[in-house]
Amino acid sequence: MIIDPHAHMISRTTDDYEAMAKAGIVAVIEPAFWLGQARTNVGSFIDYFSLISGFERFRAGQFGIRHYCTIGLNPKEANNEPLAEAVLDVLPRFLAKEGVVAMGELGYDEQTPAEDRALRAQIELAKEFDLPIMIHTPHRDKHAGTLRTMDVLKEHNFDPARCVIDHNNEETIRDVLERGYWLGFSIYPQTKMGSERMAVLVENYGPERLIVNSACDWGVSDPLAVAKTARLMAQRGVSAEAIRKVVYGNALAVYGLNGEMREEHWLAPAPIDQRTLYEGNSVLRGGQTPRIEQPGRPVDELRIT
Amino acid sequence: MANAPHRFRNGRSENAVLDGFLALADEWIARAADAGGAEWFRSATNDIVHAANDRTLGVAIGLAPRRLGKADLALTDDDRQRAAALRPGFDPSDWSIDQLARVAFMIASHDGNDVAFAARFDSFCSSAALNELIALCRGLPLYPGAALIEPRAREAVRSGMKPVFEAVAHNNPYPGEVFGEDAWNHMVVKALFIGSSLWPVQGLDARANPHLARMLVDLARERWAAGRPVSAELWRCVAPYADAEGVAALTRVWQGGEGKDRLAIALALQHPAGASVDLPFREEVVQFKTRLAAEKIGWRDVA
Ligand SMILES: [Zn+2]
């Protein structure tokens, strides 16, 4: 079983959902982020938050995948200050909703004062609503931006054990691990982090608090990245237990903290869910213990049950 | 009803249905939830009644499943009778605890102003998560100012999410009472179009009409052209008002269809309007009447 804890599914096709279910993905987390183009009014944000907590959740269920989301104002769009204020005002409407497992993606883009204000206001909201946080680390000036984000979290007394710092690489892993945070790694086909590099990191640093995701969105990205990385790690001899942690257990531990994401949702779905929202996942019928199939099979047939 | 919680009436005008429903909800939730959950429900309801803005309501609606769980209410026959006595057609048989609480919270926010309530309901539906929307729509027959919330009810019926559609269309007296003919007809056709069922729709026979019959015949012909099956339930709203094309379709089904289709047509022809439809196979239908009665066959059986 695999959880992809960072997947922008509104950008993906039904083929992707089918392939993900086939590859053993039982749950995805859809973080609120920007859409590739700036929004011009608060209504667009309301509709987006409603979409990722409503229709997309339903759509995923039709393919046997449980869908959760994070809610937040992303750093890029925090720079439109009047709009950012309006978005911060409507956020509380969404934070107590079913299936909302964290606030995110929060953090910095260009590290402007406006981004800083939005980040701090949302850290306080996360505390008020008892939600973990998913941090988006900046693409540019990454190392400094990551350190600064962790400093701000510390200033607000936010517990690192309730926070995932995402989009890590070889440059950031040591600092983030030392400070006690969970670490997300987005596996991209060409940039950021590849499966090979990820496998080496797990070998060198161990699986504790490391979390693999695909960050699949509207750009060049691969919704099977987590499954492929798991297979590569198996081929390189990483233990099944370690693989299970980085592609399943760790994500469940931190994003399950507020009780909205639970293993029973896909192992033993409530009858009312099966009747309406969730079609069930045939991948699980063979048994509930994670099992990584023989290396060397074609990727299309990859199945981690 | 000796223990009706009077605190719900603080600052509100009397409304027998709303107060009666809140009393039932309080009793059923106390019975179905654990002590902590029941206490949370009471204090959240009380907070909503006295709240200055809608944030309290939003958080309570959001948290309901986390605090109360999602178990079925498991109502008794007596419970069901009390529900129907409170509000004819109200049928919470398959409601879960969190759904009941969410509807109760929405209703507790009514402060006597139906227009403000309708605006609040609309606003909550527009930002509702999936399960919230399903629950809020199930409450439609209970809300005050039925006509004011009709646009939102129609919006839910337009939804591409089957459980949201069914929250309005099934086991719910609201559409039959409030929807105009066009809205009603589209709801019935859509139920079959999306593979849902008709037997849980209330008021079907009373609201059958010639226009609906024609739309359904069109749907059947489209399905036949595509080589796809046609639900036997479709004929329920065709048989009483069949025109020439309807009669042709019914005849085709009667002659070539399965036993289920014949039972459905025989059932549908029990509608008073069915007596005047000129059918070439009417003699054969008579034989089915005894069977329908003897075996107590109903619409649920042919779905
Ligand atoms: Zn992202």
Side-chain angles (χ1 to χ4, degrees), chain A residues 50 53-55 58 92-94 96-98 128-129 258 260 272 276-277, chain B residues 55 62 65-66 70 102 126-132 134 160-163:
Chain A
S50 302
S53 60
F55 184 66
F58 171 76
R93 254 210 247 177
F94 294 92
K97 285 195 191 298
E98 256 179 286
E128 187 186 338
F129 281 84
N258 76 335
E260 277 304 296
I272 194 163
T276 56
L277 310 179
Chain B
R55 182 161 168 175
R66 227 176 291 177
K70 293 183 180 186
R102 282 172 160 165
S126 67
S127 59
L130 182 51
N131 288 326
E132 292 173 357
I134 293 168
M161 298 182 274
K162 196 164 147 189

PDB file of all heavy atoms in Angstrom, chain A residues 50 53-55 58 92-94 96-98 128-129 258 260 272 276-277, chain B residues 55 62 65-66 70 102 126-132 134 160-163:
ATOM      1  N   SER A  50     -13.448  24.484  -2.071  1.00  0.00           N
ATOM      2  CA  SER A  50     -14.634  23.613  -2.125  1.00  0.00           C
ATOM      3  C   SER A  50     -14.408  22.449  -3.079  1.00  0.00           C
ATOM      4  O   SER A  50     -14.829  21.326  -2.811  1.00  0.00           O
ATOM      5  CB  SER A  50     -15.871  24.403  -2.586  1.00  0.00           C
ATOM      6  OG  SER A  50     -16.107  25.485  -1.735  1.00  0.00           O
ATOM      7  N   SER A  53     -12.149  19.818  -1.517  1.00  0.00           N
ATOM      8  CA  SER A  53     -12.763  19.096  -0.397  1.00  0.00           C
ATOM      9  C   SER A  53     -14.095  18.468  -0.810  1.00  0.00           C
ATOM     10  O   SER A  53     -14.744  17.790  -0.025  1.00  0.00           O
ATOM     11  CB  SER A  53     -12.968  20.034   0.808  1.00  0.00           C
ATOM     12  OG  SER A  53     -13.812  21.113   0.471  1.00  0.00           O
ATOM     13  N   GLY A  54     -14.508  18.720  -2.061  1.00  0.00           N
ATOM     14  CA  GLY A  54     -15.803  18.218  -2.527  1.00  0.00           C
ATOM     15  C   GLY A  54     -15.673  17.295  -3.721  1.00  0.00           C
ATOM     16  O   GLY A  54     -15.435  16.096  -3.585  1.00  0.00           O
ATOM     17  N   PHE A  55     -15.761  17.880  -4.915  1.00  0.00           N
ATOM     18  CA  PHE A  55     -15.832  17.046  -6.108  1.00  0.00           C
ATOM     19  C   PHE A  55     -14.596  16.163  -6.306  1.00  0.00           C
ATOM     20  O   PHE A  55     -14.714  15.006  -6.711  1.00  0.00           O
ATOM     21  CB  PHE A  55     -16.071  17.899  -7.357  1.00  0.00           C
ATOM     22  CG  PHE A  55     -16.239  17.078  -8.606  1.00  0.00           C
ATOM     23  CD1 PHE A  55     -17.341  16.251  -8.747  1.00  0.00           C
ATOM     24  CD2 PHE A  55     -15.286  17.085  -9.604  1.00  0.00           C
ATOM     25  CE1 PHE A  55     -17.496  15.464  -9.882  1.00  0.00           C
ATOM     26  CE2 PHE A  55     -15.430  16.295 -10.741  1.00  0.00           C
ATOM     27  CZ  PHE A  55     -16.543  15.491 -10.881  1.00  0.00           C
ATOM     28  N   PHE A  58     -14.814  13.166  -4.247  1.00  0.00           N
ATOM     29  CA  PHE A  58     -15.771  12.235  -4.844  1.00  0.00           C
ATOM     30  C   PHE A  58     -15.140  11.501  -6.029  1.00  0.00           C
ATOM     31  O   PHE A  58     -15.224  10.282  -6.158  1.00  0.00           O
ATOM     32  CB  PHE A  58     -17.009  13.010  -5.307  1.00  0.00           C
ATOM     33  CG  PHE A  58     -17.968  12.194  -6.122  1.00  0.00           C
ATOM     34  CD1 PHE A  58     -18.812  11.273  -5.512  1.00  0.00           C
ATOM     35  CD2 PHE A  58     -18.033  12.328  -7.499  1.00  0.00           C
ATOM     36  CE1 PHE A  58     -19.690  10.510  -6.256  1.00  0.00           C
ATOM     37  CE2 PHE A  58     -18.908  11.569  -8.253  1.00  0.00           C
ATOM     38  CZ  PHE A  58     -19.740  10.659  -7.631  1.00  0.00           C
ATOM     39  N   PRO A  92     -10.962  29.979   7.899  1.00  0.00           N
ATOM     40  CA  PRO A  92     -11.548  29.202   8.999  1.00  0.00           C
ATOM     41  C   PRO A  92     -12.779  28.402   8.598  1.00  0.00           C
ATOM     42  O   PRO A  92     -13.053  27.350   9.159  1.00  0.00           O
ATOM     43  CB  PRO A  92     -11.918  30.273  10.028  1.00  0.00           C
ATOM     44  CG  PRO A  92     -10.968  31.386   9.759  1.00  0.00           C
ATOM     45  CD  PRO A  92     -10.775  31.392   8.264  1.00  0.00           C
ATOM     46  N   ARG A  93     -13.510  28.876   7.582  1.00  0.00           N
ATOM     47  CA  ARG A  93     -14.671  28.132   7.094  1.00  0.00           C
ATOM     48  C   ARG A  93     -14.300  26.725   6.642  1.00  0.00           C
ATOM     49  O   ARG A  93     -15.137  25.834   6.613  1.00  0.00           O
ATOM     50  CB  ARG A  93     -15.227  28.858   5.856  1.00  0.00           C
ATOM     51  CG  ARG A  93     -16.500  29.594   6.090  1.00  0.00           C
ATOM     52  CD  ARG A  93     -17.283  29.600   4.783  1.00  0.00           C
ATOM     53  NE  ARG A  93     -17.372  30.939   4.245  1.00  0.00           N
ATOM     54  CZ  ARG A  93     -17.951  31.223   3.088  1.00  0.00           C
ATOM     55  NH1 ARG A  93     -18.474  30.257   2.347  1.00  0.00           N
ATOM     56  NH2 ARG A  93     -18.008  32.440   2.649  1.00  0.00           N
ATOM     57  N   PHE A  94     -13.047  26.551   6.214  1.00  0.00           N
ATOM     58  CA  PHE A  94     -12.661  25.273   5.622  1.00  0.00           C
ATOM     59  C   PHE A  94     -11.832  24.383   6.548  1.00  0.00           C
ATOM     60  O   PHE A  94     -11.679  23.201   6.292  1.00  0.00           O
ATOM     61  CB  PHE A  94     -11.883  25.519   4.325  1.00  0.00           C
ATOM     62  CG  PHE A  94     -12.723  26.146   3.252  1.00  0.00           C
ATOM     63  CD1 PHE A  94     -12.782  27.521   3.106  1.00  0.00           C
ATOM     64  CD2 PHE A  94     -13.499  25.354   2.418  1.00  0.00           C
ATOM     65  CE1 PHE A  94     -13.591  28.103   2.136  1.00  0.00           C
ATOM     66  CE2 PHE A  94     -14.313  25.922   1.446  1.00  0.00           C
ATOM     67  CZ  PHE A  94     -14.357  27.307   1.307  1.00  0.00           C
ATOM     68  N   ALA A  96     -12.128  23.132   9.563  1.00  0.00           N
ATOM     69  CA  ALA A  96     -12.694  22.057  10.385  1.00  0.00           C
ATOM     70  C   ALA A  96     -13.369  20.993   9.530  1.00  0.00           C
ATOM     71  O   ALA A  96     -13.990  20.078  10.053  1.00  0.00           O
ATOM     72  CB  ALA A  96     -13.692  22.637  11.384  1.00  0.00           C
ATOM     73  N   LYS A  97     -13.233  21.104   8.215  1.00  0.00           N
ATOM     74  CA  LYS A  97     -13.976  20.173   7.365  1.00  0.00           C
ATOM     75  C   LYS A  97     -13.389  18.761   7.387  1.00  0.00           C
ATOM     76  O   LYS A  97     -12.212  18.563   7.632  1.00  0.00           O
ATOM     77  CB  LYS A  97     -13.997  20.684   5.924  1.00  0.00           C
ATOM     78  CG  LYS A  97     -14.955  21.855   5.746  1.00  0.00           C
ATOM     79  CD  LYS A  97     -15.236  22.094   4.280  1.00  0.00           C
ATOM     80  CE  LYS A  97     -15.958  23.413   4.045  1.00  0.00           C
ATOM     81  NZ  LYS A  97     -17.275  23.474   4.685  1.00  0.00           N
ATOM     82  N   GLU A  98     -14.270  17.808   7.089  1.00  0.00           N
ATOM     83  CA  GLU A  98     -13.863  16.407   6.971  1.00  0.00           C
ATOM     84  C   GLU A  98     -12.799  16.272   5.886  1.00  0.00           C
ATOM     85  O   GLU A  98     -12.915  16.889   4.823  1.00  0.00           O
ATOM     86  CB  GLU A  98     -15.064  15.597   6.498  1.00  0.00           C
ATOM     87  CG  GLU A  98     -15.740  14.777   7.536  1.00  0.00           C
ATOM     88  CD  GLU A  98     -16.914  14.075   6.892  1.00  0.00           C
ATOM     89  OE1 GLU A  98     -17.924  14.730   6.617  1.00  0.00           O
ATOM     90  OE2 GLU A  98     -16.818  12.868   6.670  1.00  0.00           O
ATOM     91  N   GLU A 128      -4.767  27.109  16.333  1.00  0.00           N
ATOM     92  CA  GLU A 128      -6.147  27.252  16.803  1.00  0.00           C
ATOM     93  C   GLU A 128      -7.009  26.052  16.389  1.00  0.00           C
ATOM     94  O   GLU A 128      -7.841  25.591  17.163  1.00  0.00           O
ATOM     95  CB  GLU A 128      -6.729  28.550  16.225  1.00  0.00           C
ATOM     96  CG  GLU A 128      -8.105  28.903  16.771  1.00  0.00           C
ATOM     97  CD  GLU A 128      -8.693  30.119  16.059  1.00  0.00           C
ATOM     98  OE1 GLU A 128      -7.927  30.922  15.477  1.00  0.00           O
ATOM     99  OE2 GLU A 128      -9.934  30.250  16.100  1.00  0.00           O
ATOM    100  N   PHE A 129      -6.809  25.554  15.169  1.00  0.00           N
ATOM    101  CA  PHE A 129      -7.633  24.446  14.679  1.00  0.00           C
ATOM    102  C   PHE A 129      -6.966  23.084  14.870  1.00  0.00           C
ATOM    103  O   PHE A 129      -7.448  22.081  14.361  1.00  0.00           O
ATOM    104  CB  PHE A 129      -7.996  24.658  13.205  1.00  0.00           C
ATOM    105  CG  PHE A 129      -9.121  25.642  13.011  1.00  0.00           C
ATOM    106  CD1 PHE A 129      -8.860  27.001  12.986  1.00  0.00           C
ATOM    107  CD2 PHE A 129     -10.433  25.213  12.895  1.00  0.00           C
ATOM    108  CE1 PHE A 129      -9.894  27.923  12.818  1.00  0.00           C
ATOM    109  CE2 PHE A 129     -11.472  26.118  12.729  1.00  0.00           C
ATOM    110  CZ  PHE A 129     -11.199  27.481  12.692  1.00  0.00           C
ATOM    111  N   ASN A 258      -4.646  14.708  13.136  1.00  0.00           N
ATOM    112  CA  ASN A 258      -5.914  15.312  13.587  1.00  0.00           C
ATOM    113  C   ASN A 258      -7.086  14.335  13.463  1.00  0.00           C
ATOM    114  O   ASN A 258      -8.234  14.708  13.670  1.00  0.00           O
ATOM    115  CB  ASN A 258      -6.207  16.620  12.837  1.00  0.00           C
ATOM    116  CG  ASN A 258      -6.698  16.392  11.419  1.00  0.00           C
ATOM    117  OD1 ASN A 258      -6.400  15.359  10.823  1.00  0.00           O
ATOM    118  ND2 ASN A 258      -7.444  17.331  10.896  1.00  0.00           N
ATOM    119  N   GLU A 260      -8.375  12.816  10.868  1.00  0.00           N
ATOM    120  CA  GLU A 260      -9.203  12.827   9.653  1.00  0.00           C
ATOM    121  C   GLU A 260      -8.778  11.781   8.624  1.00  0.00           C
ATOM    122  O   GLU A 260      -9.536  11.433   7.739  1.00  0.00           O
ATOM    123  CB  GLU A 260      -9.197  14.212   9.019  1.00  0.00           C
ATOM    124  CG  GLU A 260     -10.187  15.148   9.660  1.00  0.00           C
ATOM    125  CD  GLU A 260     -11.600  14.587   9.632  1.00  0.00           C
ATOM    126  OE1 GLU A 260     -12.143  14.415   8.540  1.00  0.00           O
ATOM    127  OE2 GLU A 260     -12.153  14.298  10.699  1.00  0.00           O
ATOM    128  N   ILE A 272     -21.617   3.045   4.712  1.00  0.00           N
ATOM    129  CA  ILE A 272     -22.218   4.249   4.128  1.00  0.00           C
ATOM    130  C   ILE A 272     -21.273   4.857   3.093  1.00  0.00           C
ATOM    131  O   ILE A 272     -21.689   5.396   2.076  1.00  0.00           O
ATOM    132  CB  ILE A 272     -22.610   5.254   5.226  1.00  0.00           C
ATOM    133  CG1 ILE A 272     -23.529   6.317   4.649  1.00  0.00           C
ATOM    134  CG2 ILE A 272     -21.398   5.891   5.880  1.00  0.00           C
ATOM    135  CD1 ILE A 272     -24.283   7.099   5.692  1.00  0.00           C
ATOM    136  N   THR A 276     -21.896   5.158  -1.216  1.00  0.00           N
ATOM    137  CA  THR A 276     -22.035   6.447  -1.872  1.00  0.00           C
ATOM    138  C   THR A 276     -20.744   7.033  -2.412  1.00  0.00           C
ATOM    139  O   THR A 276     -20.610   7.287  -3.594  1.00  0.00           O
ATOM    140  CB  THR A 276     -22.660   7.464  -0.895  1.00  0.00           C
ATOM    141  OG1 THR A 276     -21.859   7.521   0.275  1.00  0.00           O
ATOM    142  CG2 THR A 276     -24.050   7.079  -0.526  1.00  0.00           C
ATOM    143  N   LEU A 277     -19.761   7.221  -1.559  1.00  0.00           N
ATOM    144  CA  LEU A 277     -18.631   8.051  -1.944  1.00  0.00           C
ATOM    145  C   LEU A 277     -17.439   7.271  -2.451  1.00  0.00           C
ATOM    146  O   LEU A 277     -16.563   7.810  -3.089  1.00  0.00           O
ATOM    147  CB  LEU A 277     -18.168   8.867  -0.732  1.00  0.00           C
ATOM    148  CG  LEU A 277     -19.261   9.618  -0.010  1.00  0.00           C
ATOM    149  CD1 LEU A 277     -18.688  10.351   1.158  1.00  0.00           C
ATOM    150  CD2 LEU A 277     -19.936  10.576  -0.956  1.00  0.00           C
TER     151      LEU A 277
ATOM    152  N   ARG B  55     -19.538  31.608  12.072  1.00  0.00           N
ATOM    153  CA  ARG B  55     -18.344  30.784  12.251  1.00  0.00           C
ATOM    154  C   ARG B  55     -18.620  29.587  13.168  1.00  0.00           C
ATOM    155  O   ARG B  55     -18.171  28.475  12.902  1.00  0.00           O
ATOM    156  CB  ARG B  55     -17.217  31.648  12.821  1.00  0.00           C
ATOM    157  CG  ARG B  55     -15.946  30.877  12.987  1.00  0.00           C
ATOM    158  CD  ARG B  55     -14.762  31.803  13.098  1.00  0.00           C
ATOM    159  NE  ARG B  55     -13.588  31.067  13.537  1.00  0.00           N
ATOM    160  CZ  ARG B  55     -12.378  31.582  13.634  1.00  0.00           C
ATOM    161  NH1 ARG B  55     -12.178  32.848  13.330  1.00  0.00           N
ATOM    162  NH2 ARG B  55     -11.366  30.854  14.038  1.00  0.00           N
ATOM    163  N   GLY B  62     -18.641  21.208  10.487  1.00  0.00           N
ATOM    164  CA  GLY B  62     -17.417  20.523  10.088  1.00  0.00           C
ATOM    165  C   GLY B  62     -17.034  19.403  11.036  1.00  0.00           C
ATOM    166  O   GLY B  62     -16.647  18.319  10.619  1.00  0.00           O
ATOM    167  N   PRO B  65     -18.861  14.767  12.367  1.00  0.00           N
ATOM    168  CA  PRO B  65     -18.460  13.344  12.307  1.00  0.00           C
ATOM    169  C   PRO B  65     -17.311  13.007  13.240  1.00  0.00           C
ATOM    170  O   PRO B  65     -17.233  11.888  13.748  1.00  0.00           O
ATOM    171  CB  PRO B  65     -18.059  13.128  10.847  1.00  0.00           C
ATOM    172  CG  PRO B  65     -17.941  14.463  10.240  1.00  0.00           C
ATOM    173  CD  PRO B  65     -18.670  15.452  11.083  1.00  0.00           C
ATOM    174  N   ARG B  66     -16.411  13.977  13.457  1.00  0.00           N
ATOM    175  CA  ARG B  66     -15.273  13.702  14.338  1.00  0.00           C
ATOM    176  C   ARG B  66     -15.750  13.531  15.775  1.00  0.00           C
ATOM    177  O   ARG B  66     -15.208  12.744  16.531  1.00  0.00           O
ATOM    178  CB  ARG B  66     -14.291  14.871  14.259  1.00  0.00           C
ATOM    179  CG  ARG B  66     -12.861  14.421  14.085  1.00  0.00           C
ATOM    180  CD  ARG B  66     -11.910  15.590  13.911  1.00  0.00           C
ATOM    181  NE  ARG B  66     -12.082  16.290  12.651  1.00  0.00           N
ATOM    182  CZ  ARG B  66     -11.390  17.385  12.315  1.00  0.00           C
ATOM    183  NH1 ARG B  66     -10.502  17.888  13.153  1.00  0.00           N
ATOM    184  NH2 ARG B  66     -11.595  17.975  11.160  1.00  0.00           N
ATOM    185  N   LYS B  70     -19.973   8.304  12.461  1.00  0.00           N
ATOM    186  CA  LYS B  70     -20.822   8.292  11.270  1.00  0.00           C
ATOM    187  C   LYS B  70     -21.757   7.085  11.266  1.00  0.00           C
ATOM    188  O   LYS B  70     -22.220   6.677  10.205  1.00  0.00           O
ATOM    189  CB  LYS B  70     -19.959   8.209  10.013  1.00  0.00           C
ATOM    190  CG  LYS B  70     -19.098   9.416   9.740  1.00  0.00           C
ATOM    191  CD  LYS B  70     -18.380   9.174   8.418  1.00  0.00           C
ATOM    192  CE  LYS B  70     -17.496  10.333   8.044  1.00  0.00           C
ATOM    193  NZ  LYS B  70     -16.935  10.150   6.702  1.00  0.00           N
ATOM    194  N   ARG B 102     -25.774  17.588  11.624  1.00  0.00           N
ATOM    195  CA  ARG B 102     -25.528  18.720  10.721  1.00  0.00           C
ATOM    196  C   ARG B 102     -26.832  19.434  10.364  1.00  0.00           C
ATOM    197  O   ARG B 102     -26.888  20.660  10.324  1.00  0.00           O
ATOM    198  CB  ARG B 102     -24.814  18.213   9.460  1.00  0.00           C
ATOM    199  CG  ARG B 102     -23.343  17.969   9.733  1.00  0.00           C
ATOM    200  CD  ARG B 102     -22.603  17.282   8.612  1.00  0.00           C
ATOM    201  NE  ARG B 102     -21.166  17.516   8.749  1.00  0.00           N
ATOM    202  CZ  ARG B 102     -20.226  16.841   8.109  1.00  0.00           C
ATOM    203  NH1 ARG B 102     -20.568  15.876   7.285  1.00  0.00           N
ATOM    204  NH2 ARG B 102     -18.956  17.128   8.290  1.00  0.00           N
ATOM    205  N   SER B 126     -22.601  26.482  -0.725  1.00  0.00           N
ATOM    206  CA  SER B 126     -21.625  26.835  -1.757  1.00  0.00           C
ATOM    207  C   SER B 126     -20.199  26.521  -1.322  1.00  0.00           C
ATOM    208  O   SER B 126     -19.325  26.366  -2.153  1.00  0.00           O
ATOM    209  CB  SER B 126     -21.763  28.306  -2.156  1.00  0.00           C
ATOM    210  OG  SER B 126     -21.383  29.124  -1.082  1.00  0.00           O
ATOM    211  N   SER B 127     -19.947  26.426  -0.031  1.00  0.00           N
ATOM    212  CA  SER B 127     -18.591  26.061   0.394  1.00  0.00           C
ATOM    213  C   SER B 127     -18.585  24.747   1.177  1.00  0.00           C
ATOM    214  O   SER B 127     -17.659  24.456   1.912  1.00  0.00           O
ATOM    215  CB  SER B 127     -17.973  27.186   1.226  1.00  0.00           C
ATOM    216  OG  SER B 127     -18.760  27.461   2.354  1.00  0.00           O
ATOM    217  N   ALA B 128     -19.634  23.949   0.992  1.00  0.00           N
ATOM    218  CA  ALA B 128     -19.735  22.695   1.751  1.00  0.00           C
ATOM    219  C   ALA B 128     -18.811  21.630   1.185  1.00  0.00           C
ATOM    220  O   ALA B 128     -18.630  21.532  -0.023  1.00  0.00           O
ATOM    221  CB  ALA B 128     -21.172  22.178   1.705  1.00  0.00           C
ATOM    222  N   ALA B 129     -18.223  20.856   2.061  1.00  0.00           N
ATOM    223  CA  ALA B 129     -17.496  19.664   1.622  1.00  0.00           C
ATOM    224  C   ALA B 129     -18.532  18.615   1.214  1.00  0.00           C
ATOM    225  O   ALA B 129     -19.729  18.763   1.495  1.00  0.00           O
ATOM    226  CB  ALA B 129     -16.606  19.141   2.739  1.00  0.00           C
ATOM    227  N   LEU B 130     -18.042  17.572   0.555  1.00  0.00           N
ATOM    228  CA  LEU B 130     -18.936  16.571  -0.010  1.00  0.00           C
ATOM    229  C   LEU B 130     -19.990  16.042   0.972  1.00  0.00           C
ATOM    230  O   LEU B 130     -21.198  16.107   0.724  1.00  0.00           O
ATOM    231  CB  LEU B 130     -18.053  15.437  -0.519  1.00  0.00           C
ATOM    232  CG  LEU B 130     -18.691  14.272  -1.194  1.00  0.00           C
ATOM    233  CD1 LEU B 130     -19.627  14.710  -2.276  1.00  0.00           C
ATOM    234  CD2 LEU B 130     -17.600  13.398  -1.775  1.00  0.00           C
ATOM    235  N   ASN B 131     -19.533  15.527   2.103  1.00  0.00           N
ATOM    236  CA  ASN B 131     -20.482  14.935   3.054  1.00  0.00           C
ATOM    237  C   ASN B 131     -21.377  15.984   3.704  1.00  0.00           C
ATOM    238  O   ASN B 131     -22.508  15.697   4.085  1.00  0.00           O
ATOM    239  CB  ASN B 131     -19.740  14.156   4.138  1.00  0.00           C
ATOM    240  CG  ASN B 131     -19.146  12.874   3.594  1.00  0.00           C
ATOM    241  OD1 ASN B 131     -19.726  12.251   2.715  1.00  0.00           O
ATOM    242  ND2 ASN B 131     -17.996  12.486   4.109  1.00  0.00           N
ATOM    243  N   GLU B 132     -20.862  17.195   3.841  1.00  0.00           N
ATOM    244  CA  GLU B 132     -21.691  18.279   4.389  1.00  0.00           C
ATOM    245  C   GLU B 132     -22.850  18.575   3.453  1.00  0.00           C
ATOM    246  O   GLU B 132     -23.994  18.756   3.878  1.00  0.00           O
ATOM    247  CB  GLU B 132     -20.841  19.542   4.573  1.00  0.00           C
ATOM    248  CG  GLU B 132     -19.783  19.416   5.652  1.00  0.00           C
ATOM    249  CD  GLU B 132     -18.848  20.622   5.703  1.00  0.00           C
ATOM    250  OE1 GLU B 132     -18.980  21.537   4.863  1.00  0.00           O
ATOM    251  OE2 GLU B 132     -17.977  20.641   6.578  1.00  0.00           O
ATOM    252  N   ILE B 134     -24.236  16.615   1.261  1.00  0.00           N
ATOM    253  CA  ILE B 134     -25.204  15.512   1.292  1.00  0.00           C
ATOM    254  C   ILE B 134     -26.135  15.677   2.497  1.00  0.00           C
ATOM    255  O   ILE B 134     -27.354  15.593   2.393  1.00  0.00           O
ATOM    256  CB  ILE B 134     -24.478  14.159   1.346  1.00  0.00           C
ATOM    257  CG1 ILE B 134     -23.727  13.913   0.031  1.00  0.00           C
ATOM    258  CG2 ILE B 134     -25.452  13.014   1.630  1.00  0.00           C
ATOM    259  CD1 ILE B 134     -22.752  12.754   0.083  1.00  0.00           C
ATOM    260  N   GLY B 160     -22.920  16.639 -10.438  1.00  0.00           N
ATOM    261  CA  GLY B 160     -22.387  15.434 -11.064  1.00  0.00           C
ATOM    262  C   GLY B 160     -22.082  14.354 -10.050  1.00  0.00           C
ATOM    263  O   GLY B 160     -21.630  13.276 -10.401  1.00  0.00           O
ATOM    264  N   MET B 161     -22.309  14.651  -8.784  1.00  0.00           N
ATOM    265  CA  MET B 161     -22.009  13.672  -7.727  1.00  0.00           C
ATOM    266  C   MET B 161     -23.308  12.957  -7.357  1.00  0.00           C
ATOM    267  O   MET B 161     -24.220  13.551  -6.796  1.00  0.00           O
ATOM    268  CB  MET B 161     -21.395  14.381  -6.520  1.00  0.00           C
ATOM    269  CG  MET B 161     -20.075  15.057  -6.867  1.00  0.00           C
ATOM    270  SD  MET B 161     -19.277  15.847  -5.457  1.00  0.00           S
ATOM    271  CE  MET B 161     -20.054  17.462  -5.447  1.00  0.00           C
ATOM    272  N   LYS B 162     -23.372  11.679  -7.671  1.00  0.00           N
ATOM    273  CA  LYS B 162     -24.605  10.913  -7.472  1.00  0.00           C
ATOM    274  C   LYS B 162     -25.139  11.004  -6.040  1.00  0.00           C
ATOM    275  O   LYS B 162     -26.342  11.178  -5.854  1.00  0.00           O
ATOM    276  CB  LYS B 162     -24.338   9.465  -7.872  1.00  0.00           C
ATOM    277  CG  LYS B 162     -25.554   8.623  -8.092  1.00  0.00           C
ATOM    278  CD  LYS B 162     -25.130   7.365  -8.863  1.00  0.00           C
ATOM    279  CE  LYS B 162     -25.958   6.175  -8.477  1.00  0.00           C
ATOM    280  NZ  LYS B 162     -25.412   4.934  -9.049  1.00  0.00           N
ATOM    281  N   PRO B 163     -24.291  10.880  -5.017  1.00  0.00           N
ATOM    282  CA  PRO B 163     -24.863  10.945  -3.658  1.00  0.00           C
ATOM    283  C   PRO B 163     -25.475  12.305  -3.320  1.00  0.00           C
ATOM    284  O   PRO B 163     -26.388  12.380  -2.508  1.00  0.00           O
ATOM    285  CB  PRO B 163     -23.666  10.643  -2.741  1.00  0.00           C
ATOM    286  CG  PRO B 163     -22.446  10.789  -3.580  1.00  0.00           C
ATOM    287  CD  PRO B 163     -22.849  10.553  -5.001  1.00  0.00           C
TER     288      PRO B 163
END
